[in-house]
């Protein structure tokens, strides 16, 4: 675990407020995983993270337990807590879950117009990052796009479910390595889905999304399997 990442965590200390809880710590760490700050296989230092966030060892351990139940972390006896390394079967299951949830959200939308400002901002952020050649930022913007898409359901429970699922997905992206071939083809498809929703065409948006997720599932699982099989890779 890099020293710079521990120091950077101190910037998130203000998010804890006066009522620092294991749930709030877990949310900070989950976000870090989703943004690729803590890659798969990273050992998480109790002293480093606890000191950066200003929380007790017990609070931090409870946060670790929460994220372990979400399959983002794994505890190895006598070694410590690590960011989980996914198997190919995990990646495939993540996409099955995404298809079930995301398509159901779009299908269940009421009458237009829909509150699409945050979704539009995510699309624009991805396009801007692509223009700058910042492909990790494109990956992050893509995660934000799908998170905001699910948020259209207005369900805190669905939001919570997908935060964990999308954080797991980011673990797969990190193992694959070069994010450009994974995300560049979907920039235009994100905008197509956004445009369909802006036009109130919910059925069209769901059809585009289902095809999108099927294509992405095939591409990511294939790339992940090849990356996991590469010599020296910890995935598998």
């Amino acid at each position: 675990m890099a020293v710079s990442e521990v120091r950077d965590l101190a910037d998130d200390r203000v998010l804890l407020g006066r009522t620092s809880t294991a749930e709030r710590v877990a949310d900070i760490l989950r976000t870090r995983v989703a943004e690729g700050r803590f890659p798969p296989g990273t050992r998480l230092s109790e002293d480093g993270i606890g000191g950066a966030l200003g929380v007790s060892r017990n609070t931090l351990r409870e946060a670790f337990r929460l994220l372990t139940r979400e399959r983002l972390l794994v505890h190895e006896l006598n070694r410590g807590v690590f960011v989980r390394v996914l198997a190919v079967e995990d990646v495939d299951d993540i996409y099955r879950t995404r298809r079930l949830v995301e398509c159901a959200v779009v299908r269940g939308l009421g009458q237009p117009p829909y509150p699409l400002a945050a979704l539009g901002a995510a699309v624009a952020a991805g396009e801007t990052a692509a223009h700058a050649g910042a492909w990790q930022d494109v990956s992050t913007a893509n995660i934000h796009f799908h998170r905001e898409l699910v948020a259209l359901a207005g369900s805190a429970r669905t939001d919570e479910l997908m935060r964990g699922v999308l954080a797991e997905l980011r673990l797969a992206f990190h193992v694959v390595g070069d994010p450009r071939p994974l995300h560049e083809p979907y920039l235009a498809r994100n905008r197509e889905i956004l445009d369909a929703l802006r036009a109130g065409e919910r059925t069209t948006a769901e059809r585009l999304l289902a095809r999108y997720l099927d294509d992405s599932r095939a591409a990511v699982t294939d790339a992940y399997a090849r990356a996991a099989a590469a010599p020296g890779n910890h995935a598998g």
Side-chain angles (χ1 to χ4, degrees):
M1 184 175 178
V3 173
S4 60
E5 285 297 344
V6 172
R7 290 174 179 167
D8 196 30
L9 268 175
D11 295 337
D12 285 335
R13 190 169 179 171
V14 296
L15 299 178
L16 297 175
R18 295 183 178 178
T19 58
S20 64
T21 65
E23 287 82 3
R24 289 176 183 267
V25 173
D27 192 49
I28 290 170
L29 297 179
R30 185 188 302 108
T31 298
R32 292 283 168 143
V33 170
E35 292 177 350
R37 307 283 191 93
F38 296 148
T42 300
R43 183 181 182 277
L44 300 184
S45 165
E46 284 190 3
D47 291 339
I49 293 175
L53 293 177
V55 297
S56 71
R57 189 178 296 269
N58 286 340
T59 295
L60 185 59
R61 287 179 176 175
E62 178 59 23
F64 284 168
R65 282 191 287 270
L66 290 171
L67 295 178
T68 299
R69 287 201 291 269
E70 293 179 18
R71 297 175 299 280
L72 294 179
L73 305 182
V74 60
H75 180 266
E76 297 185 11
L77 189 63
N78 298 324
R79 294 194 63 217
V81 176
F82 295 80
V83 178
R84 187 164 172 252
V85 178
L86 303 180
V88 177
E89 293 79 11
D90 293 317
V91 180
D92 191 63
D93 189 48
I94 287 168
Y95 270 92
R96 287 199 301 269
T97 303
R98 291 183 65 196
R99 198 182 195 282
L100 285 169
V101 175
E102 293 186 43
C103 289
V105 166
V106 174
R107 189 183 317 123
L109 291 175
Q111 293 300 312
Y114 309 119
L116 300 173
L119 196 68
V123 171
E127 292 169 345
T128 299
H131 184 72
W135 295 103
Q136 287 292 350
D137 291 341
V138 173
S139 177
T140 297
N142 188 53
I143 293 289
H144 289 170
F145 172 82
H146 290 280
R147 187 179 66 196
E148 296 300 340
L149 184 71
V150 170
L152 293 174
S155 166
R157 291 174 179 83
T158 306
D159 289 346
E160 182 178 356
L161 168 67
M162 288 306 293
R163 275 199 301 271
V165 169
L166 293 173
E168 277 193 274
L169 181 64
R170 190 58 182 263
L171 296 180
F173 289 163
H174 190 88
V175 169
V176 169
D178 183 6
R180 181 170 184 170
L182 288 184
H183 302 298
E184 188 172 28
Y186 297 95
L187 289 165
R189 298 174 77 166
N190 285 348
R191 183 159 287 282
E192 284 180 339
I193 293 168
L194 174 64
D195 289 345
L197 290 173
R198 280 176 170 165
E201 298 173 358
R202 181 182 58 190
T203 301
T204 299
E206 184 188 353
R207 175 176 53 80
L208 291 170
L209 178 62
R211 188 179 303 163
Y212 172 125
L213 290 173
D214 288 343
D215 291 346
S216 181
R217 174 183 176 182
V220 173
T221 53
D222 179 66
Y224 191 84
R226 286 186 280 107
N233 202 312
H234 296 293

